[in-house]
Amino acid sequence: MMKKWTFRQLWLYYLLFVGVALFVLPALLLLLMLIFTLTSAYFSGEDEEVMEPRSIAEIYQKAGLQGEVIAAYEPWVPGDIDRKAYTYEEGGLSYSFSIPKDKDPIEPTYDFRGMIDLYTHPYQSKRSVADHLLFREFFDQALYNGENLKAYQNDLTKALENLGLKDVQVQLETPYYYLDDQTRDLFNRELKKDLEAANKNDYVPVYGINTLDSVKYWSLSSSYMVISSNSSIEQFWEVKDKVDPKLWQVGYYKVEDRASEVYSRVHLDKQGVWTAVEDLKSSP
């Protein structure tokens, strides 16, 4: 026999249903959201961990560096893989480093050889990304913005202008050297040899790095030195042999006529022979 519900019972069940819908369910949802937030924060905490300046300074000391680490932290922005982390100063030189969020911070104990290996070898998964970048700016500044490279570019500019080319500019086509597998091996061997020789007696790596011959390393690469002027490329070919031969390094050159918006790519070998790589093309 089916039970009969009274109006009072129905009303009480209705109120109970409304109470659950209005109060209990939202409370459960809030509790679940709180648990999810705390869990996410716990598991992502390591992802947002970065090396502190003191830790970085200790690593540098182990590698033989003697300067000062200056903190310059900026908040990490999701989606932005790089952030300015700190500045290192030594011997009147200043280096600004950017490192990404470190997912696996470790405490490396690099000596100077390890420091070179870390820069010259491909990134290994067992290493922290930040570790690779701890030394990169030292090498980049010496190799791509070295004083001897700037002096070479200035000397070549003056020599060509003295021979009649107009408004000459000499600069690298790209901010970094292009290296294929073959040239990368040679580049790294020469880099290690030169750095070990520079720091053989005095264990002062930063000063040794800054003695690198960046012109030599450009010559070892496949990157182009751009010679740009408001004179014709034909005029360049007429005067190039009058330039001091010491200024012509083995390597790749891009000769550009800005006025006519054309360029030519050439290579100079050890025998002093110029070979066309890409003849007269319109500048993009």
Side-chain angles (χ1 to χ4, degrees), residues 66-229:
Q66 301 172 4
E68 181 181 4
V69 174
I70 301 171
Y73 284 96
E74 294 178 359
W76 179 77
V77 179
D80 182 10
I81 61 172
D82 283 339
R83 70 185 188 114
K84 183 178 180 181
Y86 62 94
T87 299
Y88 177 84
E89 294 183 352
E90 180 176 342
L93 297 173
S94 179
Y95 304 86
S96 295
F97 288 82
S98 292
I99 59 174
K101 192 173 60 162
D102 188 4
K103 294 185 177 181
D104 184 25
I106 58 176
E107 184 69 24
T109 55
Y110 300 120
D111 57 10
F112 185 52
R113 177 179 286 276
M115 171 178 164
I116 302 169
D117 288 343
L118 192 63
Y119 179 81
T120 59
H121 282 77
Y123 170 73
Q124 304 294 323
S125 59
K126 66 182 179 180
R127 301 188 190 277
S128 164
V129 176
D131 299 340
H132 172 69
L133 299 180
L134 285 175
F135 302 106
R136 178 170 181 168
E137 185 64 22
F138 298 132
F139 292 93
D140 285 0
Q141 189 161 317
L143 290 171
Y144 310 119
N145 295 293
E147 291 302 319
N148 57 344
L149 180 63
K150 294 176 183 176
Y152 170 72
Q153 292 168 334
N154 288 336
D155 291 344
L156 189 54
T157 297
K158 291 177 182 177
L160 291 170
E161 287 185 337
N162 288 339
L163 290 170
L165 297 192
K166 299 177 182 178
D167 303 320
V168 177
Q169 296 176 3
V170 179
Q171 60 190 8
L172 289 171
E173 185 174 31
T174 56
Y176 298 103
Y177 300 139
Y178 173 75
L179 301 168
D180 56 27
D181 291 339
Q182 182 177 356
T183 55
R184 183 179 293 107
D185 289 342
L186 176 59
F187 189 97
N188 289 343
R189 287 199 303 272
E190 288 296 314
L191 179 60
K192 288 185 179 184
K193 182 182 72 175
D194 291 348
L195 284 170
E196 288 168 359
N199 293 275
K200 185 175 182 180
N201 299 317
D202 262 330
Y203 204 70
V204 283
V206 169
Y207 295 108
I209 291 169
N210 281 287
T211 65
L212 291 173
D213 183 357
S214 44
V215 177
K216 166 186 172 181
Y217 288 100
W218 159 70
S219 182
L220 291 174
S221 76
S222 302
S223 295
Y224 283 86
M225 187 69 71
V226 180
I227 302 173
S228 173
S229 74

Side-chain angles (χ1 to χ4, degrees), residues 222-254:
S222 302
S223 295
Y224 283 86
M225 187 69 71
V226 180
I227 302 173
S228 173
S229 74
N230 285 324
S231 299
S232 67
I233 293 177
E234 289 77 10
Q235 187 174 351
F236 166 81
W237 287 112
E238 290 173 3
V239 303
K240 70 174 178 57
D241 290 336
K242 299 177 183 178
V243 174
D244 184 346
K246 294 179 181 178
L247 285 177
W248 290 125
Q249 299 289 325
V250 171
Y252 291 89
Y253 295 84
K254 177 183 177 183

